Amino acid sequence: MRDAEPLVLQVLRSGQMAQGPMVERLEQAVAGVTGVEHAVAVSSGTAALSLSLQALDLKPGDEVITSPFTFAATLNSILASGATAVFSDIRPDDFNIDPALLADQLTERTKVLLPVSLYGQMADMAAIDELATKHGLAIVEDSAQAIGATRHGRSAGTFGIGCFSLYATKNVTAGEGGVITTDRGEIAERVRLLRNQGMRSRYDYSCIGGNYRLSDIHAAVGLSQIGHLQAFCERRRYNAERLSNGLQGIAGLVLPQVMDGCSHVWHQYTVRVTEDASCTRDELSSKLARRGIATSIHYPRLVFDYECYREHPQVMASEVPVASRITSEVLALPVHPQLTDADLDRVIDETRSALLA
């Protein structure tokens, strides 16, 4: 974060704290990292998803297919667009939507496929893109956790419309913020209008928009981080490999996999604690907490399994057995770049002790 200080001071001294030149610099940097023509910075990852769907002019009754195993922002953005959310099950090996099952969810009302690249590993976007092309569907990628990730050499956020988060916990953070990426000029123009009250110029309203702008102060913090993205990713990969090497061979502990052709950025290092383990996921989490090891659960329930969604007319809940099972198994262990080798060894030793005692 030290690199952010001169950039933030530059903004403060300029007097231009709202969206300005620093936002443009951040957009150029993200476009360069992902390899797209256009990047549009917005106020949050949720805003990125919402504006992307708004830009597609969805109508009531249109359907968007997404993962049931995701953060609520994914679903909330679909509902805000006026569309209906439909869910397709995930794969147990990478926690991402299973392309083989997607076709079964398609109807004449399907307009958008919205896969989530969870924990820092891309979904099988080539297969999803093939399906979308065959049926004339749009793609909106929820790549909030996957900046810098690639699959077979192609970056997250380059299929259709990409959506990234710059929230405080993300691999690249601005404290708060998001970025939309696309090669489609008309989409980029549309979301630029939508983020700024629909104005082409001051008081020249061309559409109904809102205030989804990113400040230059936030952009300065994000820009300072982009330059370190490769180093951050390399350290997270090192940490993940060390954890996997140290945690092998424990009954009931399923370690995360890197899928063929993927460059994982390890936003989370998520294990599965299955029924073959000596204790449950929640018991393991409690044991580790008592030993000073912080863990987290992403996510404890299916995204539609909350009272506010259960009876919602735009939510089409479905049977998703893989995702349902995994909600009781997943546990994220520390993997962030600030961990030392000694820290990682302690995580390994305490986890092994808790499961093998």
Side-chain angles (χ1 to χ4, degrees):
M1 281 296 184
R2 291 181 180 177
D3 291 353
E5 185 174 347
L7 291 173
V8 171
L9 287 174
Q10 182 179 333
V11 173
L12 294 175
R13 289 166 179 160
S14 74
Q16 175 71 53
M17 288 188 287
Q19 179 182 298
M22 201 64 73
V23 168
E24 292 182 12
R25 288 177 61 183
L26 175 64
E27 291 173 339
Q28 291 167 3
V30 173
V33 165
T34 56
V36 298
E37 290 292 324
H38 308 280
V40 183
V42 293
S43 55
S44 69
T46 306
L49 288 165
S50 294
L51 294 181
S52 296
L53 290 169
Q54 285 184 47
L56 295 172
D57 290 323
L58 299 175
K59 305 294 189 297
D62 289 347
E63 294 178 356
V64 178
I65 304 178
T66 192
S67 169
F69 189 59
T70 184
F71 185 53
T74 311
L75 176 52
N76 290 338
S77 299
I78 296 171
L79 301 182
S81 75
T84 297
V86 177
F87 302 92
S88 191
D89 210 354
I90 64 174
R91 303 195 311 196
D93 48 10
D94 66 357
F95 307 105
N96 290 322
I97 202 163
D98 188 342
L101 301 178
L102 266 175
D104 295 336
Q105 302 297 325
L106 298 181
T107 72
E108 61 182 13
R109 296 178 297 278
T110 306
K111 302 300 181 201
V112 182
L113 304 181
L114 203 169
V116 181
S117 291
L118 204 64
Y119 301 148
Q121 182 164 222
M122 286 179 66
D124 188 350
M125 292 307 305
I128 293 169
D129 185 49
E130 181 179 355
L131 184 67
T133 300
K134 179 179 178 181
H135 294 277
L137 307 175
I139 291 177
V140 174
E141 288 181 72
D142 185 340
S143 298
Q145 302 178 4
I147 190 166
T150 63
R151 189 162 187 143
H152 298 296
R154 188 163 173 181
S155 296
T158 62
F159 292 83
I161 308 172
C163 299
F164 296 98
S165 171
L166 302 177
Y167 182 61
T169 60
K170 296 302 188 289
N171 291 18
V172 169
T173 178
E176 188 63 273
V179 182
I180 297 166
T181 54
T182 183
D183 285 323
R184 296 174 57 184
E186 74 279 10
I187 292 293
E189 180 182 7
R190 177 75 168 165
V191 295
R192 289 183 193 279
L193 289 172
L194 290 170
R195 76 174 172 181
N196 189 32
Q197 306 291 2
M199 290 191 292
R200 291 191 181 279
S201 58
R202 191 167 176 80
Y203 302 134
D204 178 15
Y205 302 105
S206 62
C207 65
I208 299 171
N211 178 4
Y212 301 102
R213 297 184 298 270
L214 185 70
S215 76
D216 259 26
I217 292 178
H218 285 96
V221 176
L223 184 62
S224 74
Q225 297 247 307
I226 286 287
H228 298 288
L229 176 59
Q230 183 175 353
F232 290 163
C233 292
E234 288 175 356
R235 183 64 198 191
R236 285 178 179 271
R237 291 185 187 111
Y238 171 85
N239 292 350
E241 183 176 4
R242 194 177 182 98
L243 288 171
S244 291
N245 288 338
L247 293 172
Q248 291 182 28
I250 302 176
L253 187 70
V254 180
L255 303 180
Q257 299 182 43
V258 179
M259 305 307 291
D260 181 51
C262 280
S263 176
H264 202 314
V265 295
W266 298 104
H267 175 62
Q268 302 290 347
Y269 181 90
T270 302
V271 299
R272 292 170 50 207
V273 184
T274 70
E275 59 185 10
D276 296 324
S278 62
C279 63
T280 67
R281 183 270 312 278
D282 292 343
E283 290 169 344
L284 175 59
S285 179
S286 296
K287 286 182 180 182
L288 291 176
R290 290 194 293 270
R291 300 173 191 205
I293 306 296
T295 61
S296 52
I297 299 170
H298 312 285
Y299 300 95
R301 295 163 73 175
L302 299 175
V303 70
F304 55 73
D305 189 24
Y306 293 87
E307 186 175 353
C308 58
Y309 300 121
R310 285 194 193 115
E311 303 301 325
H312 197 292
Q314 294 168 242
V315 175
M316 294 183 63
S318 57
E319 293 295 321
V320 283
V322 175
S324 296
R325 182 181 75 249
I326 279 177
T327 57
S328 65
E329 297 178 344
V330 290
L331 186 68
L333 302 178
V335 75
H336 59 81
Q338 286 71 42
L339 293 168
T340 65
D341 285 358
D343 294 330
L344 293 163
D345 288 341
R346 184 159 174 266
V347 173
I348 292 166
D349 291 344
E350 295 293 358
T351 303
R352 294 191 69 90
S353 176
L355 287 169
L356 297 174

